[in-house]
Amino acid sequence: MAKSSVFSVCGMCTVRCPIKVQVQNGRVSFIEGNPHVPAMKGAVCPRGAAGTGLIYDHERPQTPLIREGERGEGKWRKASWEEAFDHVADRLGQIKETHGARAIAFTDRGGPFRDIHRAFLKGLGTPNYNNHDSSCARNVQHSALSLTGMGRKAVAYDLKNSKHVILQFRNIFESVNVQEVNNLMDAMEKGCRLSVIDIRSNVSASKANNFMKIRPGTDYAFNLAVIHELIHKRLYNDKFVRKYIEGFRDLEQFVVPYTPEWAEQETGIPADTLKSFVKEIADAAPAVIWHPGWMAARYKDSFYICRSIYIINALLGSYGAKGGLPFVSKPGDVGAKGLKKFMDLYPKPEEKRADGIGWKYKHFEEGPGLAHLLFEAMETEDPYPVKAYIAYRHDPLMGYPDPDRVKKMWDKLDLLVSVTFSWSDTAWYSDVVLPLSPYLERESIIATKNALKPQFFVRRRAVDPCYDTKSDWEIVSGLAKRLDLPELAFETREDVWNFQLQGTGLTIEDFDEKGMVSLAEKPVYLDFQDYKFKTPSGKIEMISQKLEDNGIPSLKPYESPKKPEEGEFRITFGRCALHTQGHTVNNPMLYEQMPENVLWIHTQEAEKLGISDGDTVNVSQDGYTETIKAKVTDIIHPEAVFVIHGFGHRLEAESRAFGKGLADNKFMKGGMDIWDKAGGAIAYQEHFVKVSKA
Ligand SMILES: Nc1nc2c(c(=O)[nH]1)N[C@H]1C(S)=C(S)[C@@H](COP(=O)(O)OP(=O)(O)OC[C@H]3O[C@@H](n4cnc5c(=O)[nH]c(N)nc54)[C@H](O)[C@@H]3O)O[C@H]1N2
Ligand SMILES: Nc1nc2c(c(=O)[nH]1)N[C@H]1C(S)=C(S)[C@@H](COP(=O)(O)OP(=O)(O)OC[C@H]3O[C@@H](n4cnc5c(=O)[nH]c(N)nc54)[C@H](O)[C@@H]3O)O[C@H]1N2
Ligand code: SF4
Ligand SMILES: [Mo]
């Protein structure tokens, strides 16, 4: 029997863990964590193990498809790649000629493999690249920038060496990053304490030393009181504050009214609990990580919650500290040369962005922009018409609120293309589907990981595609060839990699042994003697001039969230260890383990409605109703109901997932217009539903 193995990169979620894939007789037989990365401990998560379920599933797009009926009707014509490339390139060319290159927009799912397709857009001359992040971590990013001038990824979470980790709307043990989970477990074995602030007791809470159940929407109140307590009791790191915080007096004044006793009224967490918690984390500082959050697109004040978290980390002196938030290194910081960038092949398009970033909204970062504002521009044609849209590994019809509204925003598009490895609502609604090979069947460009120990890594295919699908670089090359961008029209994967490695002194063979090349011998904790943050003052600024100049307060007074009306609940959501967003529910292996989601509802509220555990219930909002099974429990806050996101698929191409569970984003009517003006992200949890026994 022919046996081999290859080092690659998992693609079942955007964490992209390093893996080793065993191949037997041309089929993937086993997937494990890359043994050269100690924090993987040789393991992958349940989704990572289900990669074979993805590639050997015939219920995924198998050839290029061109729409025949109406959008969303599901009538397709199979096409060859030649035909599909010609079709898409012709239309893009026409649109560019009639409306200018700016009429072409593109969104993706972020991550380290973007350089080549972002270069493609730059080469075409359009500024309209966006990613999914206004539906995910934009508030975290913008809050980090507003305080330090540096993005959220400028620091690492040094979980392994931490003494106290605080998770607030962050569920590390279910919303998984394998290395983070392993590092935190190691630290906890050595005595690291874990505190969880959540609206329900999740798996992380079940492992925590302190679990504080908070009233939904009141996290900012809790955090302001923590800052009050740290300052009032002088529990902060005075040396760090004097050296690195600008505007401490403003902060001190601002939090005067926000006492722990005041916060108790808002959050339901007793003042004494808050006080002893604050004492505990101050004792453990600076080896403390208060995680700033990941899916922080929840409330209208989520940006300020994230800011308050970073401020607490600063008061504790955990910035730059071992066991806290040390700064990561880029290749240049450790004396290595970076990869050659495809993006550097072309000049920056001069045109202003359709989403308004950079001219209408000057306090937001360019780059990923805000996709919901791009979609709005498609509808209003303000500042100009956008006529072509490529959704690249992105499913906005599942990932943004109110899909009917999103479809309306797309009505004026002349061309809607999906590049995807699985069916999705967006792919189904597209004019053309270009099927991407799943990660085990494709290679990706070489990527850089900025970290305590920076590295280059590469995804290699474990097996050849079993259907007529292609890799990212092949799709970009196929279009580039037809659109007069010969620099991006690569013939072989080696050509792609060789381009990137120019000047680094490395060859692709250097990746054979481990799947990656480390650029430092051991973790580098940057010298933190006279650190200059990237703000005008060089310090962590409590008052951001950029925010103030744009009419956004730096320190925003707390506003109490709306209480649900009698019989209503705030709809909340999160992830589970068995599924990734909306794209694994039809995976045969994962479907078998968890075929549907359930509605968490508090015991007392369920009793009032005559609902017992396991009953089928109706969830409704504004005349729209779906049914789901109830999970009646004491461990959720009574004001909320909760579901795992990603279910409620209604595509005939997905026989397993069809009709199973409930789609939370359909209960967010008008949600495309409810977003955080300070942080930029959608506020997904500002919606209410009614529940009744079916
Ligand atoms: N209501 C509600 N909305 C949400 C969320 C929620 O919890 N509730 N979560 C939000 C969050 S945190 C995020 S990040 C977004 C996610 O929103 P999306 O990014 O749209 O979600 P995915 O399911 O990851 O969709 C990616 C699509 O690309 C395809 N794909 C192709 N190749 C790849 C690959 O290599 N990797 C991945 N991951 N996908 C690939 C998948 O098949 C899928 O169809 O949704 C956000 N929206
Ligand atoms: N298994 C798995 N892992 C994943 C993903 C996946 O789909 N599946 N997706 C990846 C992605 S894209 C992301 S963004 C991350 C997300 O990672 P997280 O942000 O950690 O994930 P979530 O499960 O969305 O939310 C975390 C917790 O927030 C709680 N919560 C909801 N509302 C509130 C509130 O008002 N206050 C407080 N304090 N808590 C609240 C929820 O109950 C939940 O337990 O996970 C990543 N990892
Ligand atoms: S966390 Fe799991 S699914 Fe995500 S990349 Fe790692 S192994 Fe794959
Ligand atoms: Mo996310």
Side-chain angles (χ1 to χ4, degrees):
M1 275 193 290
K3 263 193 191 176
S4 61
S5 68
V6 58
F7 294 115
S8 192
V9 179
C10 182
M12 290 298 284
C13 86
T14 44
V15 170
R16 303 185 179 85
C17 292
I19 53 173
K20 184 177 172 189
V21 186
Q22 313 273 5
V23 179
Q24 209 164 348
N25 293 331
R27 280 176 77 92
V28 173
S29 54
F30 190 61
I31 304 168
E32 61 195 303
N34 184 331
H36 297 291
V37 181
M40 288 300 295
K41 302 203 170 176
V44 289
C45 83
R47 298 163 297 148
T52 49
L54 171 64
I55 52 176
Y56 301 123
D57 180 11
H58 64 277
E59 292 196 348
R60 60 175 167 100
Q62 299 172 10
T63 65
L65 296 166
I66 298 176
R67 176 170 66 83
E68 295 233 290
E70 294 299 308
R71 273 197 186 138
E73 216 186 335
K75 285 195 188 144
W76 301 102
R77 168 165 63 86
K78 286 186 183 172
S80 68
W81 277 98
E82 288 298 305
E83 187 188 355
F85 281 145
D86 285 346
H87 181 92
V88 173
D90 277 357
R91 283 192 177 43
L92 289 177
Q94 282 162 14
I95 287 166
K96 184 172 168 178
E97 207 164 295
T98 317
H99 302 279
R102 66 188 188 180
I104 301 170
F106 185 109
T107 67
D108 70 10
R109 186 62 171 72
F113 301 123
R114 288 180 288 168
D115 187 25
I116 192 165
H117 59 252
R118 289 193 67 183
F120 170 70
L121 287 176
K122 221 173 155 193
L124 285 177
T126 174
N128 292 318
Y129 164 77
N130 288 73
N131 74 20
H132 74 297
D133 211 38
S134 75
S135 71
C136 182
R138 268 297 86 182
N139 287 330
V140 190
Q141 173 72 1
H142 282 140
S143 65
L145 281 170
S146 74
L147 286 158
T148 62
M150 292 146 60
R152 70 188 176 109
K153 291 187 178 158
V155 292
Y157 307 128
D158 192 8
L159 293 158
K160 206 178 175 70
N161 297 303
S162 191
K163 295 201 181 123
H164 200 132
V165 172
I166 301 99
L167 303 177
Q168 186 173 25
F169 53 90
R170 172 76 184 95
N171 184 6
I172 266 188
F173 288 110
E174 287 177 276
S175 302
V176 175
N177 169 325
V178 173
Q179 297 186 58
E180 284 188 7
V181 170
N182 288 335
N183 285 336
L184 179 56
M185 293 212 291
D186 284 352
M188 286 171 74
E189 259 170 40
K190 286 188 291 179
C192 170
R193 291 178 67 82
L194 178 66
S195 294
V196 171
I197 305 152
D198 208 289
I199 56 159
R200 61 185 184 117
S201 172
N202 54 26
V203 172
S204 303
S206 71
K207 297 184 192 299
N209 303 89
N210 305 309
F211 168 53
M212 290 164 274
K213 199 203 284 178
I214 194 164
R215 186 183 150 220
T218 65
D219 289 88
Y220 189 40
F222 183 84
N223 294 7
L224 290 175
V226 168
I227 298 174
H228 175 105
E229 181 73 3
L230 280 171
I231 295 180
H232 186 71
K233 297 266 175 69
R234 308 230 159 265
L235 292 169
Y236 58 88
N237 183 327
D238 193 42
K239 206 169 137 211
F240 185 96
V241 166
R242 267 187 278 150
K243 198 160 177 187
Y244 291 115
I245 294 191
E246 177 78 14
F248 180 73
R249 295 285 160 241
D250 296 304
L251 178 71
E252 187 176 24
Q253 279 300 309
F254 172 68
V255 295
V256 167
Y258 301 122
T259 62
E261 288 72 21
W262 164 83
E264 178 174 340
Q265 304 304 313
E266 282 297 316
T267 63
I269 298 172
D272 285 344
T273 305
L274 183 147
K275 287 179 190 172
S276 59
F277 162 68
V278 171
K279 174 84 176 44
E280 239 191 82
I281 59 173
D283 285 346
V288 172
I289 301 168
W290 189 316
H291 198 293
W294 193 348
M295 202 300 173
R298 295 189 188 266
Y299 298 101
K300 282 190 266 188
D301 66 358
S302 287
F303 169 76
Y304 290 99
I305 306 176
C306 297
R307 259 179 74 88
S308 65
I309 295 177
Y310 279 118
I311 290 173
I312 294 168
N313 281 308
L315 292 173
L316 294 170
S318 15
Y319 265 98
K322 191 166 181 176
L325 306 174
F327 301 99
V328 301
S329 294
K330 299 195 177 90
D333 298 327
V334 295
K337 190 132 193 317
L339 297 171
K340 182 169 155 135
K341 293 198 179 98
F342 300 107
M343 285 277 273
D344 289 343
L345 287 168
Y346 307 105
K348 187 177 173 197
E350 277 165 19
E351 203 63 62
K352 58 186 179 185
R353 297 173 61 103
D355 65 6
I357 316 298
W359 55 279
K360 191 166 168 192
Y361 302 107
K362 292 196 179 148
H363 59 297
F364 295 135
E365 185 186 33
E366 294 198 16
L370 300 175
H372 57 282
L373 297 182
L374 168 71
F375 299 157
E376 188 179 284
M378 290 174 180
E379 186 177 36
T380 59
E381 308 207 323
D382 177 20
Y384 47 73
V386 174
K387 291 293 178 186
Y389 168 39
I390 303 175
Y392 195 96
R393 301 211 249 128
H394 192 195
D395 182 11
L397 290 181
M398 174 67 76
Y400 278 88
D402 199 349
D404 288 340
R405 173 92 178 93
V406 177
K407 284 181 187 166
K408 260 217 174 85
M409 290 170 140
W410 292 350
D411 263 357
K412 290 187 184 145
L413 291 172
D414 291 337
L415 179 68
L416 173 52
V417 180
S418 258
V419 182
T420 177
F421 64 52
S422 62
W423 277 112
S424 67
D425 289 353
T426 303
W428 197 250
Y429 196 69
S430 298
D431 304 329
V432 181
V433 176
L434 299 180
L436 187 66
S437 303
Y439 66 101
L440 293 166
E441 297 182 339
R442 74 172 190 261
E443 54 280 317
S444 301
I445 61 172
I446 303 171
T448 306
K449 184 167 181 183
N450 298 330
L452 290 175
K453 210 173 144 188
Q455 57 167 239
F456 298 140
F457 63 101
V458 69
R459 169 185 284 141
R460 279 170 157 151
R461 64 174 71 186
V463 288
D464 284 326
C466 54
Y467 302 121
D468 192 14
T469 59
K470 285 195 188 297
S471 298
D472 314 62
W473 70 268
E474 292 174 302
I475 294 176
V476 171
S477 294
L479 292 173
K481 199 184 290 175
R482 290 164 172 81
L483 286 160
D484 211 16
L485 299 169
E487 312 77 15
L488 291 176
F490 293 97
E491 291 296 331
T492 69
R493 54 190 162 223
E494 286 77 18
D495 292 347
V496 176
W497 292 332
N498 290 340
F499 174 96
Q500 294 185 280
L501 290 172
Q502 280 171 62
T504 61
L506 297 169
T507 65
I508 191 64
E509 287 74 32
D510 293 320
F511 293 76
D512 290 351
E513 197 190 328
K514 298 180 177 172
M516 68 198 72
V517 174
S518 276
L519 304 175
E521 287 288 313
K522 51 179 200 257
V524 180
Y525 289 89
L526 290 184
D527 186 18
F528 196 53
Q529 284 312 306
D530 282 299
Y531 195 81
K532 288 259 178 294
F533 289 89
K534 297 206 169 57
T535 51
S537 65
K539 296 184 178 187
I540 303 175
E541 295 182 345
M542 298 301 106
I543 306 295
S544 153
Q545 205 49 50
K546 197 170 185 183
L547 287 181
E548 304 285 328
D549 287 349
N550 287 283
I552 309 278
S554 305
L555 300 169
K556 193 178 84 81
Y558 176 76
E559 284 172 49
S560 194
K562 192 182 149 198
K563 265 210 180 343
E565 316 255 319
E566 189 57 34
E568 285 195 343
F569 301 88
R570 190 181 283 275
I571 180 150
T572 70
F573 54 78
R575 270 135 276 283
C576 64
L578 286 169
H579 284 290
T580 302
Q581 309 292 359
H583 75 85
T584 57
V585 296
N586 198 53
N587 178 302
M589 294 163 85
L590 297 169
Y591 168 81
E592 201 177 292
Q593 296 186 60
M594 182 175 172
E596 60 188 356
N597 57 358
V598 292
L599 186 85
W600 294 45
I601 182 167
H602 191 270
T603 314
Q604 274 163 17
E605 300 300 316
E607 259 168 32
K608 283 190 221 161
L609 297 165
I611 294 167
S612 309
D613 192 42
D615 280 354
T616 301
V617 296
N618 291 321
V619 176
S620 51
Q621 180 187 66
D622 277 353
Y624 180 76
T625 301
E626 287 189 25
T627 56
I628 183 171
K629 284 197 191 102
K631 170 184 164 113
V632 175
T633 168
D634 287 338
I635 59 179
I636 182 167
H637 195 281
E639 283 184 18
V641 287
F642 173 91
V643 291
I644 299 296
H645 170 64
F647 288 85
H649 287 216
R650 295 276 187 282
L651 299 182
E652 56 198 69
E654 299 179 317
S655 68
R656 294 171 286 264
F658 188 91
K660 304 282 180 358
L662 170 144
D664 55 339
N665 62 326
K666 292 202 180 141
F667 294 89
M668 299 174 178
K669 260 238 151 78
M672 290 299 278
D673 302 317
I674 304 178
W675 58 283
D676 184 333
K677 303 293 180 295
I682 296 278
Y684 285 86
Q685 287 191 179
E686 300 285 7
H687 300 271
F688 297 86
V689 293
K690 289 202 165 77
V691 180
S692 60
K693 196 167 164 162

